[in-house]
Amino acid sequence: MAADRAAFRAERVQALPATVMESSGGGKTMPLDRPAAWYASSEARHVADVIVSYQTPAGGWSKNMARDGAQRQPGQPYVAGHTSKAPDSVPWDWVGTFDNDATITEMRFLARVASQAPGAEGEVYRASFLRGLQYTLGAQYPNGGWPQIYPLQGGYHDAITYNDDAMVNIATLLSAIAAGQDDYAFVPPARRSQAAEAERRAVAYILATQVSIAGSLTAWSQQYDPITLRPVGARNFEPDALSSAESSGLLVYLMQIERPTPQIMAAIEAGVKWLQATAITGHAWQKTPQGRALVEQPGAPLLWARYISLETGKPVFGDRDLTLHDDVREISAERRDGYAWYGSYSQKALTAYQKWQNSGVRSGNRPT
C-alpha cells in the first residue's frame, strides 16, 4: 500500500484540477460474451486500453468503474469517488479489489483482446494481464483464501471472502489459466503451474471451511477470519451465518472439477442436502404496500433465506445498528426493502447437481 501511494504521489508533479470519478456498473462496459472477432475491433481495443491505464501499481483494479470512457491520466484517481486533489489525504481504500467481479473481469477482457492480437500490438495487454495474475497470486493467503481488498486495508475487508462469488471467480479463472488453452495460451508454463497450485490450495481451503454442525457438514458463510477460519460478519447487517447464495456458488464450482476427490464429492453431497433442507416452498418475496414481505404463493419457485443462523438453523436478519432478528418484519424499512433477504439463487446449484449426478462422476464413470 505504501508503494502504491508513493507511485500515485509521484504522478502529482503538477497541479491537476480536482476530479472525482463517477461510480458506475463497470462490468457492463467489459462484455465477455461477444463473438471472438469483436475483441479485435477498435471498440474492444479502446476498452482494453482504458483497463490498462487504470491498473494500480500493485497490479489490480478497483470496482464500479466504467472502462469505455477516457483513459486515466497521471495523477487521476484509480477509484470512483476518490479525488485527485491532495494525494496524501486521499482515503486509500478499494485501490485493488476482487469485490463486484473487479480485477477478474478486467483480466478476462484483456485476455480476450490479447487472443485477437497475437503480434506486437497485443503485448501491452498480455503484460497487463500477467501483472494482474501476479497481483492475484500475491494476494492469496498462505491458507488458500483471498481477502476482498488487496493490499490489505483492515476491517472485514481482510476476511477471506466468498461474498458475491469473489473467491469462486478467482479460482475459476486460475483453472482456465492452468489449462493454458484458448484465451490463456500465451501464459508462460511457469505461471500456469503457479495458477494450478493456487487453485489447489483454494479448493483445500473451501473444503476446510465448510461448516460442520453436530458432526454433519452443512454449508458456508460469506466471510471467514483468515487466522481462525471461523465465520465472521461483514457489514453491520451481514452476520456470521450460513449463506445460501454463496454456498450455491461454491457448490457449482466444486461440481465443475473434472476429477473430484472423495472429500470434494462428500462436500457437494452435504451442501446440496443442506440446500434441499432449507428451501422454502409456496412463498414469494414480494413488494407490498407495507414494503417487501414473504407472502404465500402456491406453486412459487423454491426460495431461500440469504442467511441461516449457525445457532438456531433458522433464517436470521441483520440491521444497520448491528441487531439481529429472526423475523424480517422487525428490521428497518430501509434494510428490509434494500437487501436480497430471500431469493431463488440456490436453484442453480440444484440444477447443476442433477447434471453432476447424471455425469457418472460419483460412480467413477465420468468421461475425461
Side-chain angles (χ1 to χ4, degrees), residues 104-306:
I104 301 305
T105 302
E106 279 83 354
M107 290 175 65
R108 286 188 177 279
F109 192 92
L110 287 174
R112 296 280 172 90
V113 173
S115 70
Q116 298 300 310
E121 73 274 18
E123 185 56 35
V124 63
Y125 310 127
R126 289 187 287 275
S128 181
F129 176 93
L130 292 174
R131 283 187 60 216
L133 175 57
Q134 188 57 44
Y135 166 87
T136 303
L137 295 172
Q140 188 178 29
Y141 282 120
N143 58 26
W146 275 271
Q148 186 183 61
I149 295 175
Y150 186 78
L152 296 178
Q153 182 179 311
Y156 73 83
H157 303 293
D158 291 0
I160 292 171
T161 303
Y162 293 143
N163 195 18
D164 292 336
D165 291 334
M167 188 159 152
V168 165
N169 291 339
I170 297 170
T172 301
L173 176 59
L174 291 175
S175 178
I177 293 171
Q181 299 174 350
D182 302 325
D183 294 340
Y184 308 102
F186 71 88
V187 179
R191 286 282 187 260
R192 296 204 301 266
S193 295
Q194 288 179 318
E197 172 59 19
E199 187 194 12
R200 184 197 66 76
R201 290 194 288 132
V203 171
Y205 182 84
I206 291 169
L207 297 176
T209 52
Q210 188 173 18
V211 176
S212 178
I213 298 178
S216 297
L217 290 174
T218 59
W220 289 267
S221 180
Q222 279 188 347
Q223 299 87 207
Y224 287 81
D225 184 282
I227 304 300
T228 67
L229 308 193
R230 293 176 180 171
V232 294
R235 291 174 291 185
N236 284 7
F237 52 88
E238 294 175 321
D240 54 340
L242 297 175
S243 174
S244 54
E246 279 65 33
S247 295
S248 299
L250 289 164
L251 287 168
V252 171
Y253 166 70
L254 292 176
M255 283 184 250
Q256 293 171 349
I257 295 175
E258 290 190 1
R259 294 177 178 81
T261 64
Q263 189 178 3
I264 291 174
M265 290 190 284
I268 292 170
E269 296 288 356
V272 168
K273 182 179 179 180
W274 182 86
L275 288 179
Q276 294 168 336
T278 55
I280 300 170
T281 60
H283 287 77
W285 178 239
Q286 293 182 342
K287 291 182 179 179
T288 73
Q290 294 74 39
R292 284 196 172 274
L294 192 64
V295 299
E296 289 191 19
Q297 187 181 101
L302 291 178
L303 207 62
W304 283 265
R306 180 64 182 265

Side-chain angles (χ1 to χ4, degrees), residues 45-70:
R45 289 281 185 92
H46 173 71
V47 172
D49 289 337
V50 173
I51 290 173
V52 172
S53 75
Y54 274 95
Q55 189 170 25
T56 70
W61 286 268
S62 186
K63 66 174 184 174
N64 302 338
M65 299 280 287
R67 303 303 188 194
D68 57 354

